[in-house]
Amino acid sequence: QVQLVESGGGSVQPGGSLRLSCAASVTRFSTYVMGWYRQPPGKQRELVATITGGGLTVYADSVKGRFTISRDNAKDTVYLQMNNLKPEDTAVYYCNAARGFVGVWGQGTQVTVSS
């Protein structure tokens, strides 16, 4: 059974940075496509970024150049480095692990960007 545990959320001023981590309890972690999604207040969940086991990445246009997704297959962990944060980045951020038709979500971590 796959379990994902996110950490690293919090409150930050505009222009600040945060680094999210997602530790996966899973076998063959490198075979999963890992992703970060977010759900702003009152809105639907949306894609932030994904990364394959080989390191290929996809980003939402709204975060390109500011956020970086990475993974450490030896530690079964995926990261999201968020720089130059904006108030519109405020959301609950969720980690996702996907392989074939299987997708698993973490519990989410709150990120609040406010002055």
Side-chain angles (χ1 to χ4, degrees), residues 49-52 55-59 68-70:
T50 62
I51 185 168
T52 67
L56 295 176
T57 58
V58 173
Y59 292 94
T68 302
I69 188 171
S70 61

Side-chain angles (χ1 to χ4, degrees), residues 73-88:
N73 289 333
K75 295 182 177 179
D76 295 352
T77 301
V78 63
Y79 306 96
L80 185 68
Q81 178 65 45
M82 305 185 292
N83 297 328
N84 190 21
L85 283 160
K86 304 176 180 180
E88 52 263 42

Side-chain angles (χ1 to χ4, degrees), residues 24-91:
S25 298
V26 63
T27 56
R28 301 178 64 198
F29 174 76
S30 64
T31 65
Y32 286 82
V33 176
M34 301 300 297
W36 287 98
Y37 294 73
R38 65 187 182 187
Q39 187 164 13
K43 297 184 179 181
Q44 292 185 335
R45 194 172 299 188
E46 62 187 20
L47 170 72
V48 176
T50 62
I51 185 168
T52 67
L56 295 176
T57 58
V58 173
Y59 292 94
D61 288 343
S62 59
V63 306
K64 283 181 181 177
R66 300 188 298 122
F67 291 11
T68 302
I69 188 171
S70 61
R71 65 191 292 163
D72 186 336
N73 289 333
K75 295 182 177 179
D76 295 352
T77 301
V78 63
Y79 306 96
L80 185 68
Q81 178 65 45
M82 305 185 292
N83 297 328
N84 190 21
L85 283 160
K86 304 176 180 180
E88 52 263 42
D89 294 319
T90 295

